[in-house]
Amino acid sequence: MTIFIAIYITIVGLLFGSFFNVVGLRVPVGESIVHPPSRCSNCNTRLGAKDMVPVFSYLFSKGKCRHCGVKVSPIYPLFEAATGLLFLWTFLRFGLSGAAVIGLMLVSLCVIVTVADLKYMLIPNKVLLFFAPILIVLRFVFMEAPWWHYVLGGALGGGIILLIALLTKGMGMGDVKLFALCGIVLGIGPTLLAFMLACALGSIVGGLLILLKIVQRRQPVPFGPWLALATLIAYGYGTQIIGGYLSLIG
């Protein structure tokens, strides 16, 4: 039974990943997520069912539009596959539980803001406002610690990024609001861990991109994707990582 549930959740994740691409690419520029229907950006041909099967349509068409042959951005299958795998990871990590429900919503938020931030360097308020009440209610329904633990986590997450934004001008208010929401989900300790992981991941990848001359020094790069990835790591393994660290220094 477990393997069938895992396959089902992965397929659902792939389908949602396709939708999350649309949300992340359209909402920041004020476009509707339902109209117009998906079309080729080059020949403007409306995409049919054959063109919209997550991941597989891209593979079968060899990354090109079936109608005009122009190359399709790999961002679409990449985030479809990532969402499917993250949905599967959430199920394998938490099973059928309240923590899994929170995890699926958190994955959904993180995928959408990553798409939007990578494309436009913008985390849309509409996306945050949609997920905020859902995640906050779920967090306080399925509490694993006292309520103040999550309230302080939100204050810590938002406060750290706000301070950096004010001092360096290197982050926007979207990052502040995103990490405040993530902090409410995580709680105090995991929020601090997530911030440290995000800084480490951003520095390592940013340094590699500069070495490879993909980006230039002082060129602005989005930080939201690293906050999102670090949040998921902290949500899934924060307790174990913190416990392991404390045992080493204790």
Side-chain angles (χ1 to χ4, degrees):
M1 179 62 74
T2 300
I3 190 169
F4 291 110
I5 296 175
I7 293 172
Y8 174 75
I9 288 178
T10 303
I11 294 172
V12 171
L14 290 171
L15 294 172
F16 270 104
S18 180
F19 175 66
F20 294 160
N21 273 325
V22 173
V23 176
L25 293 172
R26 291 192 181 188
V27 170
V29 291
E31 296 180 353
S32 168
I33 61 175
V34 295
H35 183 79
S38 296
R39 298 175 181 272
C40 172
S41 59
N42 183 63
C43 65
N44 207 36
T45 301
R46 180 172 176 175
L47 301 182
K50 290 183 180 179
D51 307 300
M52 300 179 67
V53 179
V55 179
F56 293 102
S57 289
Y58 183 88
L59 295 176
F60 291 150
S61 66
K62 298 180 180 179
K64 298 179 180 179
C65 172
R66 282 194 308 119
H67 308 283
C68 67
V70 72
K71 288 186 177 180
V72 177
S73 173
I75 192 173
Y76 297 104
L78 176 63
F79 280 98
E80 289 166 355
T83 307
L85 292 174
L86 286 170
F87 269 44
L88 174 61
W89 165 76
T90 302
F91 168 68
L92 295 177
R93 180 70 183 88
F94 300 106
L96 298 175
S97 64
V101 176
I102 297 174
L104 291 173
M105 293 303 301
L106 196 59
V107 164
S108 301
L109 169 65
C110 289
V111 170
I112 293 172
V113 299
T114 296
V115 171
D117 210 16
L118 287 175
K119 178 66 175 180
Y120 304 108
M121 290 195 67
L122 176 69
I123 298 176
N125 283 329
K126 288 182 178 179
V127 172
L128 295 174
L129 288 172
F130 175 83
F131 280 96
I134 299 173
L135 282 169
I136 291 171
V137 169
L138 287 174
R139 178 73 280 175
F140 287 104
V141 169
F142 301 109
M143 288 193 297
E144 299 172 353
W147 64 268
W148 52 264
H149 182 71
Y150 303 110
V151 173
L152 291 180
L156 176 64
I160 291 175
I161 305 301
L162 177 60
L163 181 61
I164 295 174
L166 293 175
L167 292 177
T168 67
K169 307 295 183 182
M171 296 185 193
M173 291 305 297
D175 296 310
V176 175
K177 288 175 278 191
L178 170 65
F179 205 47
L181 178 56
C182 291
I184 293 174
V185 175
L186 294 175
I188 304 172
T191 296
L192 185 57
L193 172 65
F195 172 71
M196 296 171 66
L197 287 173
C199 291
L201 290 168
S203 298
I204 293 171
V205 176
L208 288 174
L209 292 176
I210 291 173
L211 288 175
L212 296 173
K213 298 183 179 180
I214 297 175
V215 301
Q216 303 297 318
R217 291 182 181 274
R218 300 182 182 276
Q219 178 180 336
V221 293
F223 193 58
W226 307 119
L227 289 175
L229 177 58
T231 293
L232 293 178
I233 295 172
Y235 183 72
Y237 307 105
T239 302
Q240 292 87 337
I241 294 173
I242 294 171
Y245 174 75
L246 292 177
S247 66
L248 286 176
I249 65 174

